[in-house]
Amino acid sequence: MSHRIAYQGHFYSEDELREAIWLVQIELRNGLPEDEKREAERQISELISLLKSLHNP
């Protein structure tokens, strides 16, 4: 059974969370203004926490 988790009004599977993390990491590598960089780092932290919660409900 595939588990899904809610984040910002949408439901995501494990694969979708991993893809979202990957995409934000690419944005960070390409360079962002300082405020957007902080937001991207916060978002990655949240997504990783959500990913962990799928494995440790």
Side-chain angles (χ1 to χ4, degrees):
M1 180 176 158
S2 176
H3 292 64
R4 297 180 74 73
I5 194 160
Y7 177 66
Q8 295 186 350
H10 300 281
F11 287 92
Y12 295 91
S13 68
E14 180 177 350
D15 289 341
E16 290 168 324
L17 288 172
R18 290 183 189 283
E19 182 178 1
I21 292 167
W22 178 72
L23 290 171
V24 176
Q25 287 173 331
I26 288 173
E27 290 177 0
L28 279 172
R29 277 188 234 124
N30 288 335
L32 294 170
E34 196 59 38
D35 59 329
E36 290 181 30
K37 181 180 177 183
R38 283 191 300 274
E39 174 62 24
E41 290 167 345
R42 182 196 60 76
Q43 187 176 19
I44 288 172
S45 293
E46 286 180 0
L47 293 169
I48 288 171
S49 293
L50 290 170
L51 192 58
K52 288 179 181 177
S53 74
L54 282 174
H55 295 285
N56 301 312

